[in-house]
Amino acid sequence: MIATGQKLPQSTLSELTKDGMVNHDVAELFANKKVVLFAVPGAFTPTCSESHLPGFVVLADEFKAKGVDIIACVSVNDAFVMKAWGAAQNASELMMLADGDASFTRALGLEMDTAGFGGVRSQRYAMVIDNGVISTLNVEAPKSFEVSKAEVILAGL
């Protein structure tokens, strides 16, 4: 599993924008930026939709006030689902990034097999990235939602 002090692995994440599909090189996207990246097991799922994503939406201005350039949500879903979920959650201040084949999640070592639920998905986590290097990494224990909450990450900035 990736750890604080390490650079993010080479990878690509997708985003459906108003101009169409964009495939972001992770290193380029996060270069020279302070980023809060949080991952959820699945778009439109209960904890993710009721608590995790909404916390970052509500506190987006406070993150920006603390120097965060990008707040991004990533999930092992396709870009179409991530765009629809972001729209349904009024997440216009966030980047809704898709890891459709779980390659980014696997490269981080943060995958989990949910079997019948959806197969390989991401563990729930939040990280702070400074110029491509992880400065904070909070990974949730299975079926927990404590350390990756927006409030916890904001308090640590």
Side-chain angles (χ1 to χ4, degrees), residues 1 34 36 45 88 97 111 118 124 126:
M1 179 172 66
K34 183 178 200 88
V36 171
T45 57
L97 300 172
E111 75 277 4
R124 186 182 305 281

Side-chain angles (χ1 to χ4, degrees), residues 76 99-107 111 120-121:
V76 180
D99 183 20
D101 64 356
S103 59
F104 177 72
T105 300
R106 288 181 206 269
E111 75 277 4
V120 174
R121 295 293 180 123

Side-chain angles (χ1 to χ4, degrees), residues 13-31:
L13 294 169
S14 301
E15 179 186 24
L16 187 59
T17 70
K18 62 179 173 25
D19 299 320
M21 188 69 68
V22 178
N23 292 312
H24 296 285
D25 176 279
V26 170
E28 290 176 16
L29 180 62
F30 297 154

Side-chain angles (χ1 to χ4, degrees), residues 12 25 43 75 84 88 95 123 125 150 156-157:
T12 302
D25 176 279
S75 183
M95 289 187 84
Q123 294 180 51
Y125 66 84
L157 289 176

Side-chain angles (χ1 to χ4, degrees), residues 84-140:
W85 187 43
Q89 293 284 324
N90 298 311
S92 58
E93 295 295 312
L94 280 62
M95 289 187 84
M96 301 300 288
L97 300 172
D99 183 20
D101 64 356
S103 59
F104 177 72
T105 300
R106 288 181 206 269
L108 293 173
L110 290 169
E111 75 277 4
M112 64 177 176
D113 187 351
T114 63
F117 168 73
V120 174
R121 295 293 180 123
S122 178
Q123 294 180 51
R124 186 182 305 281
Y125 66 84
M127 63 173 68
V128 178
I129 305 158
D130 291 296
N131 191 23
V133 177
I134 300 168
S135 57
T136 301
L137 175 60
N138 293 2
V139 181
E140 295 287 357

